[in-house]
């Protein structure tokens, strides 16, 4: 129990680099979280509903956060290619440049400095902890597409292709490394 408390305190201290009162560079911590998510989300997860799910908030609150990002021209609204009744929130070039000043980059840079084996172990351990928290809180888990049970890979080399069985759509290989709010872990 003592070690668990120490780990929790270390996580809380690390959170200080991205959770803060007020705003940094003109965004609140929730707006930063939303911008980061939209930059890393696959095309199925760039909707206001998926954003709300990721942030653990209402669709109305997520829409207000998105409105700030739209006003600052960090994201744009586009009609969804998947569902004509829906919109997609896409990062602009300004948004991409803005993310270069993201307060969380200092933490990322410290993680990059770790040995590969330490980084993999930390990633896998944090993933298990987050899955456990999502189950306990009855939240839907967001994770990387290439770890999802719905992703099917066929072929090899130039004939290699991917498909999302949930959406029944082809998915580009580069999208398989992005976040999906419809994620279901493989058994």
């Amino acid at each position: 129990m003592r070690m668990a408390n120490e780990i929790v305190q270390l996580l809380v201290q690390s959170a200080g680099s991205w959770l803060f009162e007020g705003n940094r560079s003109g965004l609140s911590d929730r707006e930063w979280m939303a911008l980061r998510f939209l930059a890393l989300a696959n095309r199925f997860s760039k909707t206001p509903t998926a954003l709300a799910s990721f942030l653990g908030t209402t669709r109305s609150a997520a829409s207000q956060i998105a409105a700030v990002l739209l006003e600052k021209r960090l994201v744009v609204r586009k009609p969804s290619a998947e569902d004509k009744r829906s919109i997609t929130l896409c990062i602009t070039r300004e948004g991409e440049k803005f993310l270069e000043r993201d307060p969380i980059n200092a933490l990322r840079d410290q993680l990059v400095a770790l040995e590969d084996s330490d980084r993999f172990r930390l990633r896998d351990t944090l993933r298990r902890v987050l899955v456990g928290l999502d189950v306990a809180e009855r939240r839907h888990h967001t994770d990387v597409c290439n770890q999802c049970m719905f992703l099917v890979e066929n072929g090899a080399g130039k004939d290699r292709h991917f498909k999302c069985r949930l959406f029944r759509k082809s998915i580009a290989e580069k999208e398989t490394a992005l976040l999906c709010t419809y994620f279901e872990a493989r058994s």
Side-chain angles (χ1 to χ4, degrees):
M1 183 66 100
R2 185 173 169 199
M3 175 72 82
N5 285 332
E6 184 179 346
I7 292 168
V8 167
Q9 287 307 312
L10 291 169
L11 288 170
V12 168
Q13 288 177 34
S14 74
S17 65
W18 74 88
L19 292 175
F20 44 85
E21 296 293 326
N23 66 50
R24 288 191 187 165
S25 301
L27 295 182
S28 71
D29 64 339
R30 296 301 291 263
E31 293 158 357
W32 274 112
M33 286 176 65
L35 187 62
R36 286 180 203 119
F37 170 73
L38 292 170
L40 297 173
N42 68 16
R43 71 180 188 266
F44 306 118
S45 298
K46 291 185 181 219
T47 65
T49 301
L51 179 60
S53 174
F54 177 77
L55 294 174
T57 190
T58 64
R59 193 172 187 283
S60 174
S63 291
Q64 289 174 350
I65 290 168
V68 170
L69 299 177
L70 286 160
E71 181 182 315
K72 293 182 182 285
R73 299 178 189 212
L74 302 174
V75 299
V76 293
R77 297 168 71 128
K78 294 183 178 178
S80 171
E82 311 304 321
D83 179 356
K84 298 301 179 202
R85 301 167 295 167
S86 185
I87 61 137
T88 300
L89 298 168
C90 299
I91 298 287
T92 62
R93 288 196 196 279
E94 285 181 58
E96 289 172 358
K97 289 178 94 170
F98 200 80
L99 281 166
E100 293 173 8
R101 298 190 321 260
D102 188 343
I104 209 167
N105 291 349
L107 176 61
R108 181 207 55 213
D109 294 345
Q110 291 302 309
L111 294 171
V112 167
L114 295 174
E115 297 288 329
D116 285 348
S117 61
D118 290 337
R119 250 192 337 268
F120 289 128
R121 201 169 26 262
L122 180 58
R123 179 202 60 196
D124 296 344
T125 300
L126 284 174
R127 181 174 276 140
R128 285 195 309 271
V129 168
L130 290 173
V131 167
L133 288 172
D134 288 340
V135 168
E137 296 289 323
R138 295 190 177 127
R139 291 187 300 219
H140 193 80
H141 182 67
T142 297
D143 210 328
V144 180
C145 180
N146 63 23
Q147 300 294 312
C148 184
M149 67 181 271
F150 295 124
L151 184 68
V152 177
E153 179 181 347
N154 291 308
K158 289 185 177 183
D159 294 328
R160 185 175 182 206
H161 60 278
F162 301 88
K163 184 174 184 175
C164 176
R165 288 185 298 139
L166 178 66
F167 288 97
R168 297 186 176 122
K169 301 272 185 183
S170 292
I171 186 165
E173 183 173 4
K174 67 181 181 181
E175 274 193 289
T176 66
L178 299 176
L179 294 175
C180 186
T181 55
Y182 300 95
F183 177 88
E184 292 288 337
R186 295 182 180 136
S187 300

